[in-house]
Amino acid sequence: MEFLAEASGWFGALAVLAGYLLFSVGRIPNGRTFQSANLVGAVALLVNGAYHGAWPSVVTNIAWCAIAITALIRLQRIRHSAPMPPEAADLGGAELLPPPGPAPMEEIGR
């Protein structure tokens, strides 16, 4: 059980940090990917904190989960309530993805 708690903690830390890094350098927007990374990471860190009896961390990660869940629900509502512009219907989706590799310096300096 100790191994699972430790693995959960490291995985949670990696998920939260990766999401924050990708968001901070402009590789992902504040959207489903970012909020899902926060939710998954917070749940994993919550498991680790509960195992170790680190109750301030547990409470913080419960709040972190609530924030991420609220954001995901709001994003879902916006997605379903906003009409799709006619030009968006023709897009294949690939042009919405950032190119592979690091973000260009001019984008980082925004």
Side-chain angles (χ1 to χ4, degrees):
M1 188 67 165
E2 183 177 349
F3 173 77
L4 292 176
E6 294 304 313
S8 178
W10 286 107
F11 175 76
L14 181 63
V16 169
L17 289 173
Y20 185 59
L21 173 68
L22 292 171
F23 172 75
S24 296
V25 298
R27 299 295 292 165
I28 60 173
N30 179 8
R32 288 186 321 201
T33 301
F34 177 61
Q35 295 300 336
S36 295
N38 278 305
L39 179 58
V40 168
V43 168
L45 287 168
L46 194 151
V47 168
N48 179 271
Y51 178 81
H52 290 289
W55 302 115
S57 177
V58 169
V59 171
T60 300
N61 282 295
I62 288 171
W64 201 287
C65 288
I67 293 166
I69 289 168
T70 302
L72 286 166
I73 290 169
R74 290 183 73 201
L75 287 166
Q76 189 69 17
R77 286 184 182 158
I78 290 169
R79 183 176 177 207
H80 286 297
S81 66
M84 184 178 291
E87 64 274 4
D90 298 329
L91 300 176
E95 57 279 329
L96 300 177
L97 298 174
M105 289 305 291
E106 61 271 6
E107 287 184 20
I108 294 173
R110 285 192 236 170

